[in-house]
Amino acid sequence: MNTDYILNFTPTGMIPTKDMTPHVPVSVSEIVEDVHEATEIGITMVHLHSRDAITGNPTYKKEIYAKIVEGIRKYAPELVVCLSLSGRDFGALEQRSDPLLLDGNLKPDMGSLTLSSLNFNKTASINAPDMIANLAAIMKEKGIVPELEAFDIGMINYAKYLIKKNLIEPPFYFNLLFGNIACSQANLLHSGVMINDLPEQSYWSLAGIGNEQLKMNSLSLAFGGGVRVGLEDNIWYDTARTRLATNLDLLKRVQIIASANGRKVMQPKAFRKIMNMNSGSSKYGRDFKNG
């Protein structure tokens, strides 16, 4: 078992609002500061969502992502930065691919790629086959690594289809997400089947939605995987939902559990190396051999 684990920090997401929890960072400055605090205690990468400054609603606009990335890289130039390309609110390729147009010191290392459509409690995330393929092709062309998001085993199978089509290349990084009502549930059988079915040269983190976050984070730390954690997936510190969490609360608890399992956070530099990414500081993403 690798003693170093990938810690993927998800501070904001698309759902939490200030009405739900005062701790969720939504403005550029709040997100930058939460990531700053996270880097001081140790994270491997950050998975970013951006919000409109006036409405607080999710936005795809590269101009807002640019401000967040610029703020983060002033103090953490090696941190692996992933930008969300979610289909929950935005349906056009031009919208979803907009963050991929950032370049130079603002270029993201990674972009999220959900591997099929799915239903949440009240909304759907639409990821049609041509959308998935087009986003993968743009990322490959630009040397941006897909953060492969799988909510069930069929999505892993679709990743293998993308491999056959030469749209994604190893090594791969998967977020495996459990506990959504219409997808794989947070139990040993579902997680074991998904992990076992990953393609070769895959690194993975487990995430749990809501009350399942702590369970899946703990399971992953015990069995050699990485962790996706943050207010994006869960706003509560306890399963009784009596105490709202901060991002730092969730990160510190993960690190305590990891330490008990003899594991430590993988440094961004090491993750860049195993993922064949550029070193950061001045050059980001990956140089694809035939992209």
Side-chain angles (χ1 to χ4, degrees):
M1 180 175 73
N2 190 346
T3 58
D4 291 356
Y5 69 98
I6 298 162
L7 182 44
N8 186 354
F9 176 42
T10 59
T12 304
M14 303 183 75
I15 298 299
T17 65
K18 290 292 188 181
D19 289 337
M20 296 169 61
T21 172
H23 304 307
V24 64
V26 295
S27 70
V28 169
S29 60
E30 287 174 336
I31 295 170
V32 169
E33 182 53 32
D34 259 31
V35 178
H36 190 182
E37 292 180 346
T39 61
E40 290 182 336
I41 66 171
I43 57 174
T44 309
M45 62 181 291
V46 63
H47 170 105
L48 294 170
H49 288 256
S50 62
R51 302 287 185 93
D52 181 87
I54 297 174
T55 66
N57 294 330
T59 179
Y60 60 85
K61 293 182 179 178
K62 63 180 179 297
E63 292 82 6
I64 299 179
Y65 273 119
K67 293 177 183 178
I68 300 172
V69 175
E70 180 182 33
I72 290 171
R73 285 187 171 153
K74 285 181 179 178
Y75 58 78
E78 289 187 349
L79 183 67
V80 175
V81 172
C82 175
L83 303 186
S84 173
L85 311 178
S86 174
R88 194 182 302 198
D89 285 16
F90 313 113
L93 179 63
E94 292 75 15
Q95 295 172 319
R96 295 183 60 176
S97 63
D98 198 47
L100 301 176
L101 300 179
L102 295 173
D103 208 351
N105 286 334
L106 299 177
K107 175 183 174 180
D109 295 291
M110 307 181 80
S112 69
L113 188 66
T114 305
L115 293 163
S116 184
S117 298
L118 68 151
N119 288 334
F120 295 103
N121 284 20
K122 298 180 180 179
T123 62
S125 176
I126 306 302
N127 301 286
D130 61 339
M131 177 66 73
I132 298 170
N134 286 332
L135 287 172
I138 294 170
M139 281 191 270
K140 184 174 181 181
E141 177 186 359
K142 294 185 173 296
I144 296 170
V145 181
E147 180 197 50
L148 300 166
E149 295 197 333
F151 288 75
D152 57 43
I153 196 166
M155 294 193 190
I156 294 174
N157 195 56
Y158 201 78
K160 294 176 180 178
Y161 170 80
L162 296 178
I163 295 169
K164 291 179 181 179
K165 294 295 184 180
N166 201 32
L167 287 168
I168 59 175
E169 296 182 346
F172 308 107
Y173 171 72
F174 281 84
N175 280 329
L176 305 181
L177 300 101
F178 299 88
N180 180 56
I181 190 168
C183 305
S184 289
Q185 296 307 292
N187 60 52
L188 288 170
L189 178 59
H190 285 207
S191 57
V193 169
M194 288 179 69
I195 292 167
N196 188 67
D197 212 43
L198 291 172
E200 294 183 4
Q201 301 184 63
S202 290
Y203 299 91
W204 48 274
S205 294
L206 300 190
I209 295 172
N211 284 355
E212 312 295 358
Q213 183 179 70
L214 178 59
K215 180 197 300 184
M216 300 314 294
N217 289 170
S218 300
L219 177 66
S220 195
L221 288 167
F223 285 93
V227 165
R228 164 176 156 143
V229 67
L231 294 180
E232 172 171 353
D233 298 332
N234 167 49
I235 65 173
W236 297 98
Y237 191 75
D238 58 327
T239 55
R241 301 193 171 192
T242 63
R243 173 186 165 190
L244 288 167
T246 67
N247 275 313
L248 283 187
D249 286 336
L250 299 176
L251 288 167
K252 288 178 179 178
R253 181 167 63 184
V254 159
Q255 294 200 3
I256 291 170
I257 298 169
S259 179
N261 281 276
R263 305 190 66 196
K264 60 182 180 178
V265 176
M266 181 181 292
Q267 296 301 305
K269 183 177 181 180
F271 186 53
R272 289 180 175 280
K273 185 174 182 180
I274 66 171
M275 290 297 297
N276 292 340
M277 290 188 210
N278 293 310
S279 61
S281 299
S282 60
K283 194 174 182 183
Y284 297 95
R286 180 192 288 171
D287 294 326
F288 286 95
K289 292 176 292 185
N290 52 349

